[in-house]
Amino acid sequence: MNISAVLSIVRRDYKEDVDKKRNFKNIRRFFDKSKKGEYTLDDQTWNDLDMDKVYEKLDRNYSSPGEASLYSILRNPVAEVEKLNHRDNVITALKTNSDLRERLQCIFYKLGRDPKNTFLDMMESELVVNKLKYFLYTFIGKVCPIIAAILIILFGEDYVIGLLVLSSLNIFINFRERDTIKSRGIIYLRSIIKAAKEITSIKSEDIKEYSNKISLNIDHARDIDRNTVLIGFVNMWSGLFEFISTIFLIEECAYYKISSVLKEKKKYILNIFDTVGELEALLSIAGYQNNLKRPYIKPRFIKDAALNIKQGIHPLIENPVANSARIKNKGIVLTGTNMSGKSTFLRMLGVNILLAQTFNFALAKDYEAGFFNIVTSISPNDDLTKGKSYYMAEAESILRIVRAMDKELPVFCPIDEIFRGTNPIERIAMSAEILSYLNNEKNISIVATHDRELADILKDTYDFYYFSEDVDNKKGLSFDYKLKPGVSQTRNAIRLLEYIGYPKQITDKAYKRAKTIEGFI
C-alpha cells in the first residue's frame, strides 16, 4: 500500500473510534508476564469498572505493542506528577503537531498487529540454542542450493531433480521447526526493530526521550538487528518472497544464529517493544481526546486524601448526566432505588481517578484529588467452580480493601450493595463496623446500599446522598440520575415488577407482605 493510501486511512481513523476486533487474552499477555507494581489494579477492580469497555473507547492502536502498552498503563496507575505531566506533554504535542503524529501513525500502521502473539510466545519460551543446527541449516539451506544451481547451469537439467529433492527437504525442515521458532515470531521481531529504527529517525524534541530510549536498547541488540535484516526483506510485499525464505531456511538460520544472543538480550528487546508501544498508546489517547464532544480537564493533585470532582461523567454513557462530589474526612453512603444511578456513579468516580493517574486527564469540568490506591467491590461474582457462595465472594472482596489500607497510598474504595448476599440483621451489623473501620483520614470509602438503617448508625462519620426516580402511573418510572443530599425514603422493587407485567395478585400481596416484614424488623 502506498504512502498516500496509508495517510488517508490514518487521518480518517484519527477522527473516529476504531472499529476492530480485540482479543483481550492477547492484549493483556504482556501485562500478565510483566512485573506488577505496588498499586497495580487487580482483576476484580478492572472488571468492576468495566475497563475492557473503557479500553475499547480509548484504543486507536494499530500495533500489538501499542495495544499491550495501553492496557498495561491503565492497569498501573502512578502517583508521580512529573511522570503524568510528561505523558500529557507528549499527548498535547501529538494533537498539535500533525506532521509528527501522521509519521508515527504510518509507522504503526505498517507494523500492524501480531494476531497470534507469536513474538511474545517466542520471547516467553525457553529459547532453544543449537549451534549445530545453525551450521547444518546454513549448509543445506544456503550452500547446497547454490551448488545445485551452479551444477544445473554447468551440466544441464539432469541436476534439477537434486534441487527439487533439496527443496522438499527444506520445506519439511521448515514445517518441523515451526513450533520451535514460534512460526512468524521472528518475523514480527524484525518488524518491531524496523519500526523502532524509523521512530528514531524522526528528529523531534517532543519524542526525544522515547527515541533515545529506543536507540539505547537497539545498540544493546545490534547483533539481533543485523541478523534479522534478510528476514525483513523476504517478507516484504505481504510475504511475496516467503517461499524463498522456506527454500533457503532463512528463518531457521536466523533463529539458531541469534537464539543465544536473543536469550541474553531479551530484556532490551522487550524494552523496545514496551517503549514503541507506550508512544503509540499516547498517540491513541491523543486521538481519543481530539474527538471528545464532552469536557475533560487536566487534574490538580494535592497531598490530602480528598476528592473534588465537578460535573464528572462516565466515558461509556452516550448522553451522560454529570454529577459532582466533594469527599474529605468523611465517607459517603449512597441510597436510592434500583436503576437510579448508584453503581454508575461509583464507576464514574473510579474511572476518572484511573484516567487522572494514568493519562493525566479526567472527564469533568474540574478535578482536584490526592493520589489513590484504587480497590473496588462493585460486582463480586459467585465462584461456584471453587465452591464459594456469593457471601464468601463478597467477604473476600471487601477483605482486599481492608488489607490495602496497610499500604502507603490512601485507598479509594467504592462498594456497591455491601453484603447483599446475607441476612439483613447481620448485614447491617457487619456493614456498620466495616464502614466505620474503613472511614479514616487516609481513605475515601463510598458505599451504595438499600439499608437505610445505616444512616442512624453512621451519621457522625459519613455523609449521605441518594438517587431517586419520578413515578407516573401512565409513563412508569423515570430517572434524573442526579445526586442529592440526604437519605432516600422510597423503594421501587415491587413497582418495577408491576411495570414489566407481573400479575397484580403477586404485586398486591408483595406490598402487604413488605409492610408486615418492615413492621416486624
Side-chain angles (χ1 to χ4, degrees):
M1 188 178 293
N2 61 47
I3 188 64
S4 61
V6 173
L7 267 174
S8 177
I9 292 170
V10 300
R11 284 170 179 167
R12 180 201 66 205
D13 289 348
Y14 183 69
K15 296 177 182 178
E16 57 189 35
D17 290 349
V18 176
D19 184 20
K20 63 178 182 179
K21 291 184 179 180
R22 295 174 177 87
N23 184 330
F24 278 97
K25 184 178 179 181
N26 285 348
I27 288 170
R28 64 174 290 165
R29 179 76 170 274
F30 183 70
F31 164 78
D32 287 337
K33 299 298 181 180
S34 300
K35 185 179 179 181
K36 305 299 181 288
E38 189 174 5
Y39 302 109
T40 296
L41 258 63
D42 61 24
D43 282 346
Q44 181 173 331
T45 300
W46 180 268
N47 293 329
D48 279 349
L49 297 178
D50 287 333
M51 284 306 299
D52 277 358
K53 293 179 181 177
V54 175
Y55 176 97
E56 289 176 350
K57 276 285 185 185
L58 302 174
D59 175 33
R60 284 163 169 73
N61 294 292
Y62 292 117
S63 77
S64 292
E67 290 181 333
S69 184
L70 177 61
Y71 187 92
S72 291
I73 292 172
L74 287 168
R75 289 295 294 258
N76 289 289
V78 298
E80 305 161 48
V81 173
E82 186 177 339
K83 188 170 187 176
L84 291 170
N85 282 337
H86 170 69
R87 287 177 183 171
D88 184 60
N89 290 339
V90 176
I91 291 167
T92 302
L94 292 170
K95 285 190 291 186
T96 55
N97 188 339
S98 59
D99 180 62
L100 172 62
R101 180 181 68 244
E102 289 174 357
R103 289 181 69 182
L104 289 171
Q105 284 178 296
C106 289
I107 291 171
F108 295 127
Y109 183 87
K110 289 186 292 182
L111 173 56
R113 285 191 286 173
D114 180 17
K116 295 183 179 179
N117 257 5
T118 54
F119 166 74
L120 288 178
D121 279 346
M122 181 177 71
M123 297 305 295
E124 290 167 7
S125 64
E126 187 62 35
L127 297 170
V128 178
V129 179
N130 192 323
K131 287 294 183 184
L132 178 60
K133 280 190 175 182
Y134 165 67
F135 291 118
L136 176 62
Y137 292 163
T138 299
F139 179 72
I140 63 177
K142 294 179 181 177
V143 177
C144 289
I146 292 172
I147 293 173
I150 293 171
L151 290 174
I152 291 170
I153 292 169
L154 294 178
F155 301 106
E157 298 176 356
D158 292 344
Y159 289 90
V160 170
I161 188 68
L163 184 59
L164 291 175
V165 170
L166 183 63
S167 298
S168 299
L169 173 63
N170 289 350
I171 290 171
F172 175 75
I173 291 171
N174 176 267
F175 176 78
R176 290 294 300 270
E177 290 285 7
R178 188 166 296 172
D179 288 339
T180 302
I181 64 172
K182 300 301 176 186
S183 187
R184 299 177 65 86
I186 200 166
I187 297 172
Y188 199 69
L189 166 61
R190 180 62 217 168
S191 298
I192 292 170
I193 292 174
K194 182 183 177 184
K197 292 174 78 172
E198 287 181 18
I199 291 170
T200 62
S201 71
I202 300 174
K203 305 305 176 186
S204 170
E205 288 296 317
D206 294 322
I207 61 167
K208 185 177 180 180
E209 184 176 321
Y210 291 92
S211 294
N212 289 344
K213 189 174 179 180
I214 290 170
S215 295
L216 179 64
N217 283 284
I218 286 178
D219 284 344
H220 283 291
R222 201 178 298 114
D223 290 344
I224 295 170
D225 177 20
R226 187 170 55 247
N227 288 299
T228 56
V229 169
L230 192 55
I231 288 176
F233 173 75
V234 298
N235 282 280
M236 290 171 63
W237 298 297
S238 302
L240 182 63
F241 301 121
E242 189 174 349
F243 183 71
I244 296 174
S245 174
T246 302
I247 297 301
F248 291 94
L249 298 179
I250 290 174
E251 286 181 44
E252 289 74 16
C253 291
Y255 175 82
Y256 285 110
K257 185 172 184 180
I258 67 173
S259 56
S260 59
V261 181
L262 200 57
K263 204 170 184 178
E264 294 170 10
K265 307 294 185 180
K266 183 176 181 178
K267 176 179 72 172
Y268 303 110
I269 294 297
L270 291 176
N271 283 345
I272 294 170
F273 180 94
D274 190 31
T275 308
V276 167
E278 181 172 331
L279 187 55
E280 191 184 10
L282 298 181
L283 184 55
S284 185
I285 298 298
Y288 174 75
Q289 290 183 355
N290 182 70
N291 293 296
L292 274 174
K293 296 178 177 64
R294 51 190 69 177
Y296 69 94
I297 191 76
K298 181 176 179 178
R300 297 191 306 278
F301 293 105
I302 56 178
K303 293 183 179 179
D304 298 332
L307 172 64
N308 181 16
I309 184 168
K310 293 181 181 178
Q311 301 296 297
I313 58 176
H314 196 292
L316 297 181
I317 297 177
E318 199 64 36
N319 296 300
V321 174
N323 276 295
S324 303
R326 181 185 288 271
I327 310 172
K328 185 177 181 181
N329 297 330
K330 283 187 174 184
I332 285 181
V333 173
L334 280 179
T335 55
T337 54
N338 297 294
M339 301 178 5
S340 58
K342 300 189 300 295
S343 300
T344 300
F345 179 74
L346 297 180
R347 291 188 174 97
M348 181 274 287
L349 294 179
V351 170
N352 275 295
I353 291 172
L354 183 58
L355 292 176
Q357 291 183 206
T358 51
F359 292 110
N360 211 37
F361 78 100
L363 297 173
K365 289 188 175 178
D366 194 25
Y367 179 99
E368 183 180 71
F371 286 108
F372 295 104
N373 178 16
I374 309 167
V375 189
T376 67
S377 181
I378 294 176
S379 51
N381 297 314
D382 284 323
D383 194 346
L384 300 177
T385 59
K386 295 181 180 178
K388 293 178 185 175
S389 66
Y390 191 91
Y391 167 71
M392 183 58 71
E394 282 185 292
E396 292 183 353
S397 176
I398 293 171
L399 183 60
R400 296 161 40 251
I401 296 172
V402 173
R403 288 175 173 168
M405 292 172 63
D406 294 335
K407 297 182 179 180
E408 183 178 350
L409 274 188
V411 181
F412 173 76
C413 47
I415 304 172
D416 192 19
E417 300 298 344
I418 186 168
F419 290 127
R420 74 192 84 174
T422 191
N423 66 82
I425 294 174
E426 288 185 300
R427 178 175 67 242
I428 292 167
M430 293 185 299
S431 299
E433 293 308 317
I434 288 172
L435 292 175
S436 296
Y437 184 86
L438 292 177
N439 184 60
N440 59 48
E441 294 180 358
K442 190 180 174 185
N443 304 307
I444 285 186
S445 56
I446 174 168
V447 60
T449 181
H450 285 291
D451 294 321
R452 290 177 293 186
E453 295 84 354
L454 288 173
D456 291 331
I457 302 172
L458 300 172
K459 61 185 178 182
D460 295 327
T461 53
Y462 276 77
D463 289 326
F464 292 83
Y465 293 87
Y466 72 98
F467 289 92
S468 62
E469 81 287 340
D470 291 324
V471 181
D472 186 298
N473 289 330
K474 293 182 179 180
K475 296 181 180 179
L477 295 179
S478 62
F479 301 94
D480 61 11
Y481 304 112
K482 294 298 293 184
L483 187 67
K484 307 170 184 71
V487 179
S488 172
Q489 299 301 320
T490 62
R491 297 188 177 100
N492 70 358
I494 300 174
R495 190 177 291 273
L496 283 171
L497 298 186
E498 287 184 292
Y499 288 128
I500 64 174
Y502 269 70
K504 191 171 175 56
Q505 181 183 356
I506 293 176
T507 56
D508 284 351
K509 289 184 176 181
Y511 280 125
K512 291 178 182 178
R513 191 177 295 277
K515 288 181 180 179
T516 303
I517 294 171
E518 187 174 38
F520 176 75
I521 292 177

